[in-house]
Amino acid sequence: MLNQFSPHVDENFLDLFYHEIQSFELDRYNTKINLHTLKIENNIFVYSELVEKLFDCIVTYCLSRKELEIYKNNKGIYVKAIQRLRKWENNDGELGEVLLYCFLESHLRAPKIFTKMELKTSPNDYVKASDGVHVLQVDKNNFQLIFGESKLEKTFQRSLYDAFNSINDFINRSTNNIHDEIRLLNTHLEKESISPALYNVLKKIIMPSAREDEIFKDNAFGIFAGFEITVDDDSRKLSNSEFRKMIRTKIKLEVESQYSYIQKKIDEHKLYGTTFYVYAFPFVEISNTRKRIIKNLMEATNDF
């Protein structure tokens, strides 16, 4: 049904990462956990290769499908895209939003319908919405609208805490809530559709008719939980193979240790019947690294 609506981010994006945890399902909690650890060479993460990949992804993240069609032969398309990013000095969150978009498209194969970047008319605009909306065809007649929530904090647990609290607020607040966003998505749908046929298909998925009883839609959430890991000089002195084994094991154990915490947050907010796709992602020196990556994207350079 969505043959014409394929993701922009190719599956080869995933070649950059060790897939430590692949869609681990928490029993009875409708939650799939993924851990993608950036490739390691010479005892450091290859942020330079990540930046190279993101040069292409940032364009399709920031611009709608209609804009991509209009500007596809324009050499300034990259500049048009990055003009929507906040200045890197004060940019603490947009890298997580971009990476979540990349994982939902490349790993889950859920194409984006739109992101809040498309609603911005200037870099300083504040859009109180989910980080993006993707659509996933579960089977022939069942679909999910996946709302993005990205958090980058010092610890994995803190990222989870902030993400689930934000999701609960998004569902339950009186205005700018999930229902308002679905209505907004419905009115902005023409920005993402190229053909009238595709427009009609997406419209039916977003606002399915119970009377027709042909399409079933549920809401889900994609969570990007960035966190910091510490690497001391003694660890860096290990052999390359020892270092890789040590750091990958350390990161995996950290994520696995928070399975019960995820269950606790779902219980606390009674978020039953909602599917969560959690993407855990470790950073070294998270505050500096995320700003440095955004700076490189905004300046079209790569200083890693």
Side-chain angles (χ1 to χ4, degrees):
M1 193 170 189
L2 286 175
N3 293 338
Q4 305 174 60
F5 200 65
S6 57
H8 284 296
V9 183
D10 196 85
E11 289 177 276
N12 63 18
F13 176 79
L14 300 172
D15 293 342
L16 266 180
F17 310 95
Y18 307 115
H19 297 201
E20 310 289 15
I21 300 172
Q22 277 275 54
S23 299
F24 177 83
E25 295 189 39
L26 293 180
D27 186 36
R28 298 185 298 111
Y29 281 86
N30 300 312
T31 298
K32 295 184 178 181
I33 300 170
N34 297 276
L35 169 59
H36 293 83
T37 300
L38 189 60
K39 187 170 64 175
I40 298 167
E41 291 181 359
N42 300 103
N43 296 6
I44 59 173
F45 292 103
V46 291
Y47 289 116
S48 60
E49 293 186 31
L50 178 60
V51 169
E52 291 295 327
K53 287 280 189 182
L54 292 180
F55 282 142
D56 292 328
C57 299
I58 200 71
V59 174
T60 54
Y61 170 72
C62 288
L63 303 181
S64 72
R65 274 178 162 78
K66 183 168 282 188
E67 288 174 313
L68 292 171
E69 187 69 17
I70 292 171
Y71 298 108
K72 64 181 178 182
N73 297 318
N74 189 324
K75 292 182 180 179
I77 191 170
Y78 186 83
V79 173
K80 183 172 182 62
I82 62 173
Q83 282 175 340
R84 293 182 179 169
L85 296 172
R86 293 192 300 274
K87 290 185 178 181
W88 64 269
E89 296 93 338
N90 302 311
N91 197 329
D92 292 328
E94 285 180 340
L95 176 60
E97 296 165 15
V98 175
L99 287 171
L100 177 58
Y101 156 75
C102 291
F103 284 124
L104 289 176
E105 289 227 343
S106 64
H107 181 261
L108 198 58
R109 305 309 290 161
K112 137 192 133 159
I113 299 180
F114 91 121
T115 70
K116 68 182 182 183
M117 302 297 286
E118 297 168 29
L119 303 178
K120 295 172 69 173
T121 57
S122 78
N124 295 322
D125 279 356
Y126 177 71
V127 181
K128 193 173 183 182
S130 65
D131 296 334
V133 185
H134 294 242
V135 60
L136 177 67
Q137 184 165 2
V138 179
D139 57 36
K140 183 180 178 181
N141 300 103
N142 287 277
F143 297 83
Q144 290 178 341
L145 284 185
I146 303 175
F147 297 85
E149 186 64 48
S150 168
K151 299 296 180 185
L152 286 77
E153 297 291 345
K154 280 278 189 178
T155 68
F156 182 49
Q157 186 178 107
R158 181 68 198 196
S159 288
L160 293 170
Y161 173 88
D162 288 350
F164 280 105
N165 284 358
S166 291
I167 289 168
N168 181 60
D169 180 56
F170 181 51
I171 292 172
N172 293 301
R173 65 194 178 212
S174 58
T175 59
N176 293 313
N177 56 36
I178 190 169
H179 306 295
D180 292 330
E181 182 141 335
I182 290 172
R183 284 190 286 270
L184 176 67
L185 176 60
N186 197 36
T187 58
H188 279 76
L189 189 56
E190 66 274 9
K191 291 187 176 182
E192 286 291 3
S193 336
I194 303 302
S195 70
L198 180 56
Y199 174 87
N200 289 329
V201 168
L202 289 172
K203 193 112 176 168
K204 285 184 177 181
I205 293 171
I206 294 168
M207 304 287 281
S209 168
R211 183 175 61 182
E212 293 178 6
D213 198 26
E214 294 176 350
I215 294 174
F216 303 95
K217 182 269 293 182
D218 293 290
N219 300 321
F221 288 89
I223 296 174
F224 181 88
F227 61 100
E228 183 171 277
I229 56 159
T230 302
V231 182
D232 56 33
D233 287 343
D234 285 339
S235 297
R236 293 193 187 277
K237 292 174 185 177
L238 295 171
S239 70
N240 298 148
S241 60
E242 288 176 327
F243 179 84
R244 261 189 291 270
K245 182 179 179 180
M246 181 275 297
I247 203 70
R248 291 175 64 180
T249 299
K250 177 181 178 181
I251 293 166
K252 186 177 181 182
L253 289 173
E254 171 59 25
V255 173
E256 290 175 337
S257 73
Q258 298 303 316
Y259 286 174
S260 60
Y261 185 76
I262 294 173
Q263 294 170 323
K264 176 184 174 183
K265 295 304 291 183
I266 294 173
D267 285 333
E268 177 184 329
H269 298 303
K270 299 190 183 303
L271 296 170
Y272 309 124
T274 301
T275 300
F276 298 96
Y277 301 96
V278 178
Y279 288 89
F281 193 89
F283 290 88
V284 174
E285 298 179 351
I286 188 169
S287 181
N288 292 332
T289 300
R290 63 186 175 188
K291 289 182 180 180
R292 188 176 169 189
I293 292 174
I294 289 292
K295 181 176 184 287
N296 275 267
L297 293 175
M298 295 189 73
E299 297 178 356
T301 59
N302 194 342
D303 64 7
F304 281 96

